């Protein structure tokens, strides 16, 4: 897998990459310089995300530039300029003030992907209360858990979501003082008891709002992790994170002022906020927001009609597009696309190569976490791609792979410094703390936070290796790695090999306890249309995997499963497959995707 290289694209479709040379940028980059590209609040008032994302554009030449183009479920389009977003979010901030919500208090948004969500997000940040976006498809329990943990003071939602998901848990949330409903249709009378009509309040509110002095270390965002490996954790981020959002947008997503940018993640997850809202707005580009759900045809139409130039999506979505066939991609004019990036899960080399063939562009994988707040390791426009690699650390980020001892703990030398793994050796992916968007805590769990820092590094919990040129290769999550007969097996490698078989659309691999070998590899595979999961195919898949991976690593067992469990942010939940396989309790399933 390491042998293939996709050379960096030569002509870059009309825009030279912001970063021309990786080594040179790495040598000259400092966070302080990145910070200077932002405006800061007037009169030394500090740094506020909403000021950088909206106010400074509204005060300058980009005032009438389209900030958001929202596509409704039925295709209706709504555009909002930077000037309009500024005014509406100021009204929102004034509404919070009038209600007595204090800076630092948590404002939850349980909202579909609409303009109102952007208004609430930017208004909350202007007001210096803390934005906590929730995924609108969550049921009442996950909402209640998160709002309790975050001591939510205010909630912005729609009448329907309120009725179905919040009304029943309201009395369990004594700290929740204000529920603001969006889209309470005019003339429908008063809303449910204990709610306020946000649209009405916005009309009455003052359109000017002066952002108060904001310490860059003030809490700005509370994001819950995806719950892929266990109970979701609440990661705390501060206003200074905007420096990372700006720098990564410039370097890793290659955003240019005239770009039309589409991030397909829901703002209920960190990607959808950091890169669906903040980073592109800081760059003053036009953001596409699609209220609808995944549909291959709809997505291609959106890319074509909206003339999307930079597209940030996820492996699961790309695998689903692959399943729909390259011919569907080729029926659309995607010539405006310049850069495609992916995050959230390992991106199989097969998918990178497919992108090149079907979309005419390679897919640039990048790696980060809710905790890191922004992109940490990436493939860049100016750098050759090694399909299957996550790329190299962002300039300004020091990343490494740490050696692990026989108990899977990071090895720390007598000097208190963690031992780095050699080239090609597997170990824990770790980052040197100190970048602006690093989380400042897990809300309500200081011990867990402290345990993430060992021997001078932040431990990501993921396993990786580094090649001789400094490219990072994902091996698996610490919890998902399989130990069989003394081998350490990363699920990603096995899954990627399975995906090279023409019948396989998606694969998930777990370790199954075995008295002799410790664990044996079991693969669950989803088949492409037209294939039947029979004994013949099972044997063929096992033989295919053995040829590619060797008998020690290839799966011993294969199960056909057309509905692998995913989180609602699109990640395969291997822990659930394992629990089901072993008849164990399923644990926290609040983020499990529910298929209609
Ligand atoms: P939880 O921490 O609750 O189990 P989670 O780790 O899935 O959930 P996120 O913060 O949303 O929550 O996801 C970050 C994780 O996703 C990373 O630690 C990594 O395991 C995986 N990931 C993200 N990007 C990539 C990538 N490009 N390649 C491989 N894995 C990735
Ligand atoms: Mg995690």
């Amino acid at each position: 897998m390491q042998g293939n290289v996709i050379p960096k694209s030569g002509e870059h479709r009309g825009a030279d990459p912001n970063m021309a040379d990786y080594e040179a940028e790495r040598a000259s980059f400092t966070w302080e310089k990145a910070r200077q590209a932002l405006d800061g609040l007037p009169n030394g008032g500090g740094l506020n995300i909403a000021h950088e994302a909206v106010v400074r554009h509204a005060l300058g030449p980009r005032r009438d530039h389209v900030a958001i183009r929202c596509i409704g479920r039925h295709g209706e389009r709504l555009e909002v300029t930077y000037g309009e977003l500024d005014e509406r979010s100021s009204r929102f901030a004034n509404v919070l003030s009038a209600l007595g919500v204090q800076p630092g208090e948590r404002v939850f948004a349980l909202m579909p992907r609409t303009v109102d969500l952007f208004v609430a997000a930017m208004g909350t940040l202007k007001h210096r209360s803390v934005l906590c976006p929730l995924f609108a498809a969550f049921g009442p329990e996950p909402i209640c858990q998160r709002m309790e943990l975050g001591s939510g003071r205010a909630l912005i939602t729609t009448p329907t979501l309120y009725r179905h998901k919040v009304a029943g848990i309201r009395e369990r949330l004594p700290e929740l003082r204000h529920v603001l409903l969006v889209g309470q249709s005019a003339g429908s009378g008063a809303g449910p008891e204990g709610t306020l009509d946000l649209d009405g309040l916005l009309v009455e509110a003052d359109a000017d709002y002066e952002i108060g002095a904001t310490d860059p270390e003030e809490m700005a965002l509370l994001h819950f992790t995806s719950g892929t490996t266990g109970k979701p954790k609440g990661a705390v981020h501060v206003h200074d994170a905007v420096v990372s959002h700006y720098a990564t947008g410039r370097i890793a997503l290659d955003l240019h002022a005239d770009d039309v940018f589409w991030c397909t993640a829901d703002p209920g997850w960190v990607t959808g906020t950091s890169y669906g809202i903040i980073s592109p707005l800081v760059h003053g580009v036009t953001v596409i927001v699609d209220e609808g759900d995944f549909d291959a045809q709809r997505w291609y139409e959106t890319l074509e009609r909206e003339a999307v130039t930079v597209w940030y999506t996820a492996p699961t979505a790309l695998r689903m597009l692959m399943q729909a066939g390259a011919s569907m991609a080729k029926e659309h004019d995607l010539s405006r696309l310049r850069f495609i990036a992916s995050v959230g899960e390992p991106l199989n080399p097969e998918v990178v190569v497919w992108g090149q063939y079907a979309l005419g562009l390679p897919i640039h994988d990048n790696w980060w976490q809710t905790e890191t707040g922004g992109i940490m390791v990436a493939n860049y426009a100016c750098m050759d791609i090694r399909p299957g690699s996550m790329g190299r650390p962002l300039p300004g980020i020091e990343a490494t792979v740490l050696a692990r001892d026989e108990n899977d703990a990071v090895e720390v030398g007598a000097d208190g410094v963690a031992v780095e793994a050699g080239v090609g050796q597997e170990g824990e992916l770790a980052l040197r703390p100190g970048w602006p968007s690093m989380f400042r805590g897990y809300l309500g769990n200081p011990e867990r936070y402290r345990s993430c820092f060992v021997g001078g590094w932040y431990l990501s919990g993921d396993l990786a290796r580094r090649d001789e040129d400094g490219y990072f290769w994902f091996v698996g999550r610490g919890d998902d790695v399989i130990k069989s007969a003394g081998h350490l097996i990363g699920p990603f490698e096995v899954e990627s090999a399975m995906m090279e078989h023409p019948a396989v659309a998606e694969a998930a691999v777990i370790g199954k306890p075995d008295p002799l070998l410790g664990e044996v590899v079991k693969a669950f595979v989803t088949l492409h249309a037209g294939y039947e999961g029979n004994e013949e195919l099972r044997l063929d898949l096992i033989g295919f995997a053995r040829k590619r991976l060797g008998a020690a690593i290839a799966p011993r067992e294969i199960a056909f499963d057309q509905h692998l469990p995913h989180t609602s942010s699109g990640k395969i939940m291997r822990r659930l497959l394992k629990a089901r396989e072993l008849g164990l309790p399923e644990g926290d399933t609040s983020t499990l995707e529910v298929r209609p």
Side-chain angles (χ1 to χ4, degrees), residues 224-233 269-271 315 342-347 365-372 377 389-390 442 448 458 460-463 474-480 492 567 569 571 575 591:
F224 291 91
T225 61
S226 290
T228 314
T229 52
K231 201 170 154 65
K233 306 165 283 268
W269 310 108
V270 71
T271 307
S342 160
V343 71
E345 274 209 303
L347 185 66
D365 185 23
N366 58 55
W367 175 94
W368 58 290
Q369 311 177 296
T370 308
E371 289 85 343
T372 71
V377 177
S389 162
M390 313 189 284
Y442 284 128
R448 172 117 200 205
Y458 161 69
S460 70
D462 287 344
L463 300 188
F474 185 79
V475 172
R477 293 162 174 274
D479 300 2
D480 288 340
F492 176 47
T567 63
S569 56
K571 298 161 192 270
R575 72 169 160 97
T591 61

Side-chain angles (χ1 to χ4, degrees), residues 240-366:
D240 204 40
V242 70
V243 181
S244 295
H245 298 145
Y246 164 77
T248 49
R250 185 179 84 78
I251 297 171
L253 298 178
D254 198 38
L255 291 177
H256 288 56
D258 292 327
D259 274 328
V260 176
F261 175 71
W262 185 24
C263 168
T264 59
D266 188 277
W269 310 108
V270 71
T271 307
T273 305
S274 293
Y275 296 101
I277 302 181
I278 300 171
S279 176
L281 292 182
V282 171
H283 282 271
V285 307
T286 296
V287 183
I288 300 297
V289 184
D290 183 6
E291 202 190 340
D293 297 320
F294 175 86
D295 175 86
Q297 190 67 30
R298 180 183 174 105
W299 277 31
Y300 285 128
E301 279 165 16
T302 300
L303 289 169
E304 177 175 3
R305 186 189 55 239
E306 307 303 334
V308 171
T309 53
V310 180
W311 185 36
Y312 197 18
T313 188
T316 314
L318 290 163
R319 287 193 292 260
M320 288 198 279
L321 291 178
M322 271 175 86
Q323 244 180 312
S327 57
M328 194 189 276
K330 290 183 185 290
E331 281 159 18
H332 295 84
D333 175 9
L334 305 178
S335 59
R336 296 295 298 280
L337 262 179
R338 187 182 82 244
F339 190 77
I340 309 177
S342 160
V343 71
E345 274 209 303
L347 185 66
N348 319 89
E350 189 76 2
V351 185
V352 181
V353 173
W354 178 84
Q356 181 81 40
Y357 164 69
L359 309 170
L361 291 172
I363 295 154
H364 297 78
D365 185 23
N366 58 55

